Amino acid sequence: MTEIIDGKLVSKKILQELSEKIALLEKKPSLAVIIVGEDPASKIYVNLKKKKAEELGIVSTVIEMSQDVSESELLNKIDELNKDESVNAILVQMPLPKHIDANKVIEKISPQKDVDCFHAYNVGKIATNNKPFVYPCTPKGILELLNFYNIEISGKHVVVIGRSNIVGRPMAQMLLNKNATVTICHSKTNNLEEITKQADILISAVGKAGLIKKEMVKDNVVVIDVGMNRDENGKLCGDVDFEQVKQKASYITPVPGGVGPMTICSLMVNTFDLFKTSQEKI
Ligand code: NAP
């Protein structure tokens, strides 16, 4: 029997517990989000984050900067937020306009307020199996899903497709830290199918609808689909041919309703965790 991994259910449970903890606080955690320009998708994401934060009692501020803002103006704004003790978590919505160096922006955010876990300090902490201030949202959410469904990681062969800084790379390292045997695949990987067929757990973070077909997986595989794509009818879908692969999988995430809700859930938990860390310093 295949079990459909329900990201909506798991995230709801985690957020319910989080809102109860926040309700007990006198001083509330706060998240500052910087958005540069008018990209419609970025605006939607930022509004969703703000709405979710407010539902939970997190103080949320959105700082809108124009498309032609200079790099130094943006860096100064981050510096201001770094110094502002009322701000616990800082997020700069990506992508940024081409004239701004995203790496410089990421490195400007104080590691103690780096809610996305993009800063080299926190990334390096994961790479050395040490404690970062927080873990990156999507990989953290995926580990929560595996944990909720009691899916063993230690000793398993996990194949991660995708090596982005946001998903693939940190995911692979976090799994390694949990004693998985990890293989990372990417666009230059030869014979992808030969590798995916060996996976006990397959995590696809590519962004190509229909990439993972039934022939590419073994029986009883656990499939985590991170992809967010549109099919030919404009419907949201993942990287995995869900209907086909479901027939062989022991567990599988749907799109929507799998990894997606977990990402925003992790962002909220991370904001809370950074708030807690800031309190410990006092
Ligand atoms: P990305 O930066 O574009 O990375 C995609 C990765 O896939 C790259 O490493 C690329 O390889 C690899 N790739 C491309 N074509 C491939 C192929 N044919 N075979 C094997 N690997 C291939 O994307 P991302 O930011 O990691 O996001 C990946 C997907 O997840 C997107 O659909 C995104 O929308 C979605 N996403 C969802 C969530 C969520 O919360 N649900 C969160 C983040 C991202 P190279 O490195 O060689 O180019």
Side-chain angles (χ1 to χ4, degrees):
M1 253 287 283
T2 308
E3 187 147 5
I4 309 297
I5 294 180
D6 188 343
K8 276 194 201 160
L9 175 100
V10 180
S11 62
K12 209 173 151 191
K13 222 173 154 296
I14 293 172
L15 291 176
Q16 177 61 38
E17 285 168 18
L18 183 67
S19 79
E20 285 165 16
K21 284 191 210 163
I22 294 172
L24 297 174
L25 297 171
E26 210 172 290
K27 187 169 174 265
K28 306 295 181 195
S30 95
L31 168 69
V33 179
I34 301 181
I35 176 168
V36 180
E38 301 292 325
D39 178 54
S42 293
K43 287 204 156 187
I44 291 172
Y45 290 138
V46 167
N47 283 336
L48 278 175
K49 289 165 189 174
K50 183 174 164 61
K51 195 167 157 253
K52 185 57 77 186
E54 283 170 353
E55 272 171 31
L56 294 164
I58 292 172
V59 179
S60 156
T61 318
V62 175
I63 297 143
E64 296 183 6
M65 302 188 100
S66 72
Q67 178 74 19
D68 57 3
V69 69
S70 70
E71 189 178 273
S72 61
E73 256 179 282
L74 175 56
L75 295 175
N76 287 340
K77 176 48 83 181
I78 294 171
D79 212 24
E80 208 180 283
L81 296 171
N82 283 340
K83 289 178 184 145
D84 184 343
E85 285 186 9
S86 71
V87 172
N88 307 120
I90 304 172
L91 183 157
V92 179
Q93 185 65 41
M94 300 288 167
L96 289 167
K98 290 209 164 43
H99 67 277
I100 297 176
D101 181 344
N103 284 324
K104 268 196 200 166
V105 171
I106 288 167
E107 295 303 299
K108 190 72 181 172
I109 298 171
S110 157
Q112 284 100 323
K113 298 192 179 187
D114 174 31
V115 72
D116 270 328
C117 188
F118 289 167
H119 192 287
Y121 174 90
N122 287 318
V123 173
K125 286 281 186 180
I126 296 175
T128 50
N129 198 8
N130 200 340
K131 279 197 185 129
F133 285 104
V134 287
Y135 289 89
C137 298
T138 302
K140 177 187 168 91
I142 291 170
L143 291 188
E144 290 285 1
L145 287 177
L146 295 173
N147 180 50
F148 185 88
Y149 286 88
N150 290 318
I151 297 167
E152 181 73 76
I153 296 172
S154 177
K156 301 294 175 196
H157 184 189
V158 187
V159 174
V160 178
I161 318 179
R163 54 174 165 179
S164 70
N165 290 338
I166 301 172
V167 191
R169 271 171 212 270
M171 183 78 261
Q173 284 172 331
M174 287 159 71
L175 289 160
L176 184 63
N177 295 346
K178 291 203 168 289
N179 300 319
T181 302
V182 184
T183 304
I184 308 174
C185 302
H186 46 77
S187 70
K188 306 293 183 292
T189 298
N190 291 329
N191 302 322
L192 183 66
E193 182 172 336
E194 290 308 309
I195 301 168
T196 56
K197 267 197 225 158
Q198 297 170 33
D200 298 313
I201 302 175
L202 178 65
I203 302 180
S204 185
V206 173
K208 281 204 164 78
L211 177 75
I212 306 301
K213 300 183 174 61
K214 196 175 164 185
E215 317 76 77
M216 296 172 72
V217 298
K218 69 177 181 187
D219 284 334
N220 294 322
V221 63
V222 174
V223 179
I224 305 291
D225 191 352
V226 187
M228 280 203 307
N229 315 297
R230 297 275 164 194
D231 68 12
E232 60 277 11
N233 303 315
K235 228 178 109 210
L236 194 63
C237 67
D239 294 342
V240 177
D241 183 338
F242 182 79
E243 289 307 325
Q244 292 286 315
V245 173
K246 189 174 77 174
Q247 295 169 22
K248 285 174 99 175
S250 53
Y251 293 87
I252 186 166
T253 58
V255 178
V259 174
M262 297 306 294
T263 298
I264 190 152
C265 171
S266 301
L267 178 70
M268 300 300 131
V269 174
N270 280 356
T271 302
F272 178 79
D273 288 348
L274 293 177
F275 165 80
K276 285 300 229 189
T277 309
S278 76
Q279 296 294 294
E280 282 158 18
K281 280 193 310 193
I282 294 169

